[in-house]
Amino acid sequence: MIMGLTGDSKGQFVSQLAELVKEISGLPECRNSCKKMHGTLVRRIKLLSPLFEELRDGNEESMVKIEEIKGFELLKSALDSTKNLLQSINEGSKLYQALQKDQVAYKFQQMTETIEAALSEIPYDKLDISEEVREQIELVHAQFRRAKGRPESPDLQLEHDLAIVQKEKDPDAAILKRLSDKLQLRTINDLTKESVALHELVIASGEDPGERIEEMASLLKKLKDFVLTENPEADTSEGEKGLMKHRSPVIPDDFRCPISLELMKDPVIVSTGQTYERSCIQKWLDAGHKTCPKTQQTLLHTALTPNYVLKSLIALWCESNGVELPKKQGTCRSRKAGSSASDCDRTAIIALLEKLANGNSEQQRAAAGELRLLAKRNADNRVCIAEAGAIPLLVELLSSTDPRTQEHAVTALLNLSINDSNKGTIVNAGAIPDIVDVLKNGSMEARENAAATLFSLSVIDENKVAIGAAGAIPALIKLLCEGSPRGKKDAATAIFNLSIYQGNKARAVRAGIVPPLMRLLKDAGGGMVDEALAILAILASHHEGRAAIGQADPIPVLLEVIRTGSPRNRENAAAILWSLCTSNLEQLKIAKDFGAEEALKDLSETGTDRAKRKAGSILELLQQLEVKEDAVSLSSL
């Protein structure tokens, strides 16, 4: 907390809030499908400015009150996250945001809810501010409150147009025109920037280029063809103008090597970010040149990184225009005897490690992103990256103050940990405390990938102890409550695996795991019933776990699962019920009152082998209870 700050530092804190609002208000106008959400959020935040300006200019006594209000600290954290989101929307791929509109809308909704929650913690009537400012802030708060429960309505026209353009090989020009205008992809310059953004997206996401990029690359190609058809002069040299008269396909400039001016077959990126045909730039380098041919900048290294996005775009363009597809170069991916990765990947890895160790912050961020992608691609790369000494350098970057660098580092470690031998190297490098710190304080993406990394490492039993002792479980529970659907599943999987160790069961119970699990269990539409039951079943074997579950009124929902759930869920529900009923007579009586006997008889006939055993055991307890109750009744006569 910030309650112990001096007057100067308190004033500085309010100034930071004011500056944050100013920075957000000054962000460039959004020029893509998120324009409305982006503009609305910026407009509302801008209206907070008078509050901080008046507080900053107020007397010192009012500053003491401010620092005692936790809402201001929550608000600063929320505004920091909002600024990062808005910047990423402005700089990111417009096609990706349009295709992933639900995920993007969810992020905006999360920011709205976080800001509203922070504003709810601020008692405006106790602040030394004018009535006019108080009324304005209360009005802004009311806007956030209404927006919290009212997500943005979908752009049905955009959804319709995207679906048609994705489906049809030759979509109508009017639809392409609407998409081009809506996404602000109207010129070759716009489309070139979008191509670069797609490449950045592949590096940042860590996904295999073939998974989703083909869909976006195809859309981008169709928009490029449309723009060139509408305005042939936009991307056409004099020689090509003559060819167009004979209906020869126009090769976009960014598909040509800047050295040979020919269509690139194997595009690679040099350290300045420029792309060249591999054979051409290699000849340039072999001739002793140390500069980038296009920019004349000195090359920081001579590693050549494959430009997978551009290669995919070129292949799609060739296919659509009847041009022979570029042939792969045989030497690029060849292996030496005993080599665990291709020659070009090995060279790239060594250069990337140099940037991790000695580069500036931007170079480290880019290098970590490249390693993240390389580690995702195949098993050989994971071995080679680890052997080259990347793991200690990546662990060091977990403490980076740059959120993207931190995301790349933790995700690269996640991908490397898929290899069992790398798990030990990661742990021996002292990664666990740093991964837990990312889990507690990182961006949502970093937290989710940190949870997945901890799960991967916890496959080794001794790591379960170390991860639990490092304080991971409370942070995982927090992610389980507030993460995205994927993040919740990552957190649940990690908690389940850690709870196999007896000591971690107590840690989880004491950290308050049972109430959120019961909420997930009761929310059938939330998609987390399987995970909640699995964790509860493992916690029920611990006496503290049984006690906590018993206090959460579990019997009705457990019996409902036994009646209607999947075979595995019925089995877990029966196991939990068995643990409760064998250790607590009151729970057995509650189960009897809720009609457990009928549900358990059905389970004893139709369930899994384990479920049948548990059901049979509880039925015996119910029969014994009935005999005792009958005996008591007779004795009272």
Side-chain angles (χ1 to χ4, degrees):
M1 291 296 291
I2 49 178
M3 293 174 64
L5 297 178
T6 64
D8 288 343
S9 58
K10 292 167 185 173
Q12 185 179 14
F13 178 72
V14 176
S15 295
Q16 289 172 354
L17 283 166
E19 187 61 29
L20 260 177
V21 172
K22 183 179 178 182
E23 289 175 8
I24 291 171
S25 303
L27 289 173
E29 181 184 0
C30 182
R31 298 176 67 241
N32 57 38
S33 58
C34 301
K35 181 176 181 179
K36 184 179 178 183
M37 293 185 293
H38 188 288
T40 299
L41 190 54
V42 169
R43 175 177 54 77
R44 288 175 180 149
I45 290 172
K46 190 174 182 179
L47 293 172
L48 296 173
S49 181
L51 171 64
F52 302 122
E53 290 173 1
E54 191 155 318
L55 289 173
R56 186 172 52 187
D57 297 337
N59 59 54
E60 191 169 313
E61 291 182 5
S62 68
M63 299 302 292
V64 175
K65 294 178 184 177
I66 290 166
E67 298 310 320
E68 292 175 350
I69 298 170
K70 71 175 183 177
F72 283 101
E73 191 172 6
L74 295 173
L75 187 58
K76 182 178 183 300
S77 175
L79 292 176
D80 275 324
S81 299
T82 300
K83 187 179 81 168
N84 291 335
L85 171 64
L86 295 172
Q87 287 176 329
S88 70
I89 293 296
N90 271 335
E91 298 165 5
S93 162
K94 298 174 180 180
L95 284 172
Y96 175 82
Q97 290 164 16
L99 290 169
Q100 302 294 318
K101 54 194 174 299
D102 291 341
Q103 291 182 23
V104 174
Y106 175 73
K107 289 180 181 178
F108 272 95
Q109 193 66 19
Q110 273 190 316
M111 287 299 99
T112 297
E113 291 175 6
T114 305
I115 294 171
E116 193 279 328
L119 293 174
S120 295
E121 298 286 341
I122 301 174
Y124 310 116
D125 56 335
K126 295 182 181 178
L127 298 177
D128 185 19
I129 55 177
S130 65
E131 188 68 27
E132 180 183 355
V133 169
R134 183 179 295 113
E135 288 177 358
Q136 177 172 328
I137 299 306
E138 288 176 346
L139 179 63
V140 176
H141 187 186
Q143 290 178 359
F144 274 104
R145 194 181 300 114
R146 286 194 300 271
K148 185 175 70 168
R150 189 179 60 201
E152 289 286 339
S153 55
D155 188 334
L156 298 178
Q157 183 68 65
L158 176 62
E159 291 181 12
H160 179 261
D161 289 346
L162 280 169
I164 290 177
V165 173
Q166 285 175 276
K167 182 179 179 181
E168 296 184 2
K169 186 176 181 180
D170 189 19
D172 186 85
I175 297 176
L176 288 168
K177 176 72 165 63
R178 278 200 303 269
L179 268 185
S180 176
D181 291 340
K182 185 74 176 181
L183 301 179
Q184 296 285 308
L185 295 173
R186 294 169 172 156
T187 67
I188 290 300
N189 187 43
D190 292 336
L191 293 160
T192 301
K193 288 179 181 177
E194 176 65 15
S195 180
V196 172
L198 284 179
H199 177 65
E200 290 291 327
L201 174 69
V202 173
I203 293 174
S205 68
E207 293 183 8
D208 224 324
E211 290 182 6
R212 226 173 4 188
I213 199 67
E214 297 251 347
E215 183 181 47
M216 289 183 281
S218 177
L219 278 169
L220 185 60
K221 188 203 75 64
K222 290 174 184 176
L223 286 169
K224 279 187 175 181
D225 289 348
F226 167 74
V227 169
L228 288 171
T229 302
E230 290 290 296
N231 182 17
E233 308 293 320
D235 194 45
T236 311
S237 66
E238 288 299 321
E240 288 169 349
K241 291 174 188 174
L243 291 174
M244 282 184 64
K245 296 177 182 177
H246 298 91
R247 299 189 178 182
S248 296
V250 177
I251 303 174
D253 276 349
D254 51 336
F255 289 1
R256 295 178 180 276
C257 173
I259 297 174
S260 68
L261 301 181
E262 298 293 334
L263 180 69
M264 285 185 277
K265 299 177 176 63
D266 190 7
V268 293
I269 306 168
V270 297
S271 66
T272 60
Q274 299 296 323
T275 296
Y276 298 93
E277 171 62 30
R278 180 184 293 276
S279 60
C280 296
I281 190 65
Q282 192 62 61
K283 287 179 183 177
W284 171 268
L285 296 173
D286 290 345
H289 297 290
K290 303 294 183 183
T291 58
C292 171
K294 191 170 183 178
T295 67
Q296 298 305 308
Q297 291 176 275
T298 301
L299 295 171
L300 298 174
H301 57 78
T302 58
L304 305 177
T305 305
N307 190 334
Y308 294 106
V309 173
L310 188 58
K311 191 170 186 176
S312 176
L313 288 169
I314 291 172
L316 285 165
W317 180 86
C318 289
E319 185 177 352
S320 299
N321 288 276
V323 176
E324 185 178 355
L325 287 171
K327 296 178 180 178
K328 294 181 180 179
Q329 292 189 356
T331 58
C332 176
R333 306 292 294 185
S334 60
R335 299 170 185 266
K336 289 181 180 179
S339 173
S340 61
S342 65
D343 291 340
C344 62
D345 277 357
R346 183 179 291 279
T347 304
I349 288 165
I350 293 170
L352 291 170
L353 262 59
E354 173 64 25
K355 287 201 282 187
L356 280 190
N358 302 311
N360 58 34
S361 58
E362 289 185 7
Q363 291 170 332
Q364 287 180 325
R365 179 172 61 243
E370 291 281 3
L371 286 170
R372 167 184 180 171
L373 183 58
L374 286 169
K376 175 72 178 287
R377 191 162 296 132
N378 58 54
D380 288 342
N381 281 354
R382 289 190 276 276
V383 172
C384 185
I385 291 169
E387 288 177 350
I391 287 173
L393 296 173
L394 289 167
V395 170
E396 192 174 332
L397 287 183
L398 292 174
S399 304
S400 171
T401 56
D402 178 61
R404 295 303 296 277
T405 302
Q406 194 178 66
E407 288 171 15
H408 291 332
V410 75
T411 311
L413 289 170
L414 167 61
N415 295 336
L416 289 171
S417 73
I418 295 170
N419 181 297
D420 284 343
S421 63
N422 288 346
K423 288 180 170 67
T425 308
I426 292 170
V427 172
N428 291 337
I432 287 176
D434 290 324
I435 295 171
V436 172
D437 189 59
V438 173
L439 177 66
K440 292 177 178 177
N441 304 308
S443 67
M444 184 56 73
E445 181 183 349
R447 288 170 63 194
E448 292 176 352
N449 287 339
T453 308
L454 291 176
F455 163 69
S456 178
L457 296 176
S458 69
V459 170
I460 299 173
D461 285 342
E462 54 263 36
N463 291 346
K464 292 180 174 66
V465 182
I467 293 168
I473 290 174
L476 287 168
I477 294 171
K478 187 177 181 185
L479 181 61
L480 183 69
C481 295
E482 62 187 31
S484 68
R486 180 181 72 84
K488 288 180 178 180
K489 287 188 181 292
D490 286 337
T493 308
I495 292 168
F496 175 84
N497 217 38
L498 290 172
S499 297
I500 294 171
Y501 168 60
Q502 191 75 357
N504 286 336
K505 293 175 186 176
R507 287 192 176 103
V509 173
R510 293 166 191 168
I513 183 67
V514 171
L517 287 176
M518 290 303 298
R519 287 195 294 272
L520 293 173
L521 181 56
K522 292 173 183 178
D523 180 16
M528 292 289 293
V529 172
D530 298 3
E531 291 82 356
L533 276 168
I535 298 171
L536 287 168
I538 206 168
L539 294 177
S541 64
H542 190 278
H543 67 278
E544 290 186 41
R546 285 194 298 275
I549 295 168
Q551 292 171 7
D553 190 26
I555 302 296
V557 66
L558 290 174
L559 289 175
E560 181 61 25
V561 173
I562 289 172
R563 292 186 185 102
T564 63
S566 67
R568 177 55 59 86
N569 285 351
R570 296 176 77 198
E571 176 184 310
N572 280 330
I576 299 165
L577 187 63
W578 178 85
S579 294
L580 294 171
C581 292
T582 53
S583 62
N584 190 313
L585 183 61
E586 284 303 311
Q587 296 291 347
L588 184 64
K589 290 179 179 179
I590 294 171
K592 178 178 179 293
D593 293 341
F594 275 95
E597 187 172 358
E598 182 181 348
L600 290 168
K601 282 181 178 177
D602 179 65
L603 183 63
S604 66
E605 297 172 358
T606 63
T608 63
D609 290 342
R610 179 169 176 252
K612 289 177 180 178
R613 290 196 301 272
K614 297 297 183 185
S617 180
I618 302 170
L619 285 169
E620 287 180 11
L621 292 173
L622 287 170
Q623 289 170 1
Q624 293 169 13
L625 176 64
E626 191 172 345
V627 169
K628 288 180 182 178
E629 288 177 341
D630 289 344
V632 171
S633 298
L634 289 171
S635 65
S636 63
L637 293 177

